[in-house]
Amino acid sequence: MERAQPTTSPPPVLVVDAANVVGSRPDGWWSDRQGATLMLRDHLAALAQEGLVWPDAETDGPRVRPDIILVTEGQARGLDSADGVQVVDAAGEGDDAIVDTVRRLLAAAPARPVVVATADRELRSRVQALGSSVMSARAVRHRSP
């Protein structure tokens, strides 16, 4: 496995729609939303440490270590951040918190790649209109460190 290469430019950012990614497969998440989100956070922490092939790179391209922001809402709120994963609890709607996060990131560093992981069509449109890329909820689940 190729290790993530150090870089002088800011790392890309992966913003994850926790509710949408957790809900993307019927594995019993509805009986323990916070527990399912905790497992997702830990999966993302492993990706953050080992790096991953960035969504727009070639399959065998270099691995990068993105900054990862996991946006939680409802019963999934209250998790601590983990190494490489900042957990943001949405005060209201998770989608609005994701849009605000993307807007803030792009305003601070317009050239920094931002990708949102979600299958929500309306959210995809909203963040793409701001200049973010998107990847599917399934893709973030199936990426391995």
Side-chain angles (χ1 to χ4, degrees):
M1 169 183 359
E2 185 177 327
R3 300 298 265 174
Q5 299 297 314
T7 179
T8 56
S9 61
V13 183
L14 175 62
V15 180
V16 180
D17 179 353
N20 193 270
V21 173
V22 165
S24 68
R25 65 179 179 195
D27 59 2
W29 60 264
W30 48 88
S31 63
D32 183 7
R33 292 172 196 249
Q34 192 172 59
T37 305
L38 177 63
M39 288 191 319
L40 173 61
R41 186 210 58 197
D42 292 347
H43 171 73
L44 294 170
L47 290 178
Q49 293 305 309
E50 292 296 321
L52 60 122
V53 176
W54 198 240
D56 61 355
E58 296 178 24
T59 306
D60 60 350
R63 297 173 76 82
V64 297
R65 286 189 180 117
D67 287 337
I68 299 176
I69 300 173
L70 179 64
V71 179
T72 63
E73 63 182 290
Q75 295 175 356
R77 287 186 298 220
L79 294 178
D80 291 329
S81 293
D83 285 340
V85 181
Q86 176 188 357
V87 177
V88 173
D89 289 337
E93 292 292 320
D95 290 2
D96 293 338
I98 291 167
V99 169
D100 289 344
T101 298
V102 169
R103 185 178 289 118
R104 178 181 48 80
L105 289 166
L106 292 172
R112 187 177 189 193
V114 176
V115 174
V116 174
T118 187
D120 182 304
R121 286 188 182 120
E122 181 181 338
L123 178 58
R124 291 170 75 94
S125 294
R126 291 174 68 189
V127 298
Q128 285 175 317
L130 295 172
S132 174
S133 300
V134 295
M135 67 186 287
S136 71
R138 172 183 269 181
V140 79
R141 287 278 209 169
H142 290 282
R143 293 198 182 266
S144 59

